[in-house]
Amino acid sequence: MNWKFILRWVITFTVCLVIYDLTGSFWMSLGILILLAVAESFVIDWWNKRKGRGV
């Protein structure tokens, strides 16, 4: 089994539930999650570039 994939989705689902409980609005929580996904993508790309250069 791909535990890394499963763990990532469990964490994502938990964050979704927490954001929805805090905001109380589906659309606001969806917008926040989209922003978080974009930020996560930038951080992962930055980290991979940094690892690749050996800095």
Side-chain angles (χ1 to χ4, degrees), residues 49-55:
K49 286 180 186 176
R50 182 178 167 100
K51 257 181 19 181
R53 279 195 304 217
V55 173

Side-chain angles (χ1 to χ4, degrees), residues 1-2 7-8 12-14 16 20 27-28 30-31 34 40 45 47-48 52 55:
M1 294 187 94
N2 191 350
L7 183 62
R8 184 172 178 182
T12 303
F13 183 71
T14 305
C16 291
Y20 180 70
W27 296 110
M28 187 180 291
L30 183 64
I34 290 171
E40 179 189 13
D45 287 344
W47 184 260
N48 286 336
V55 173

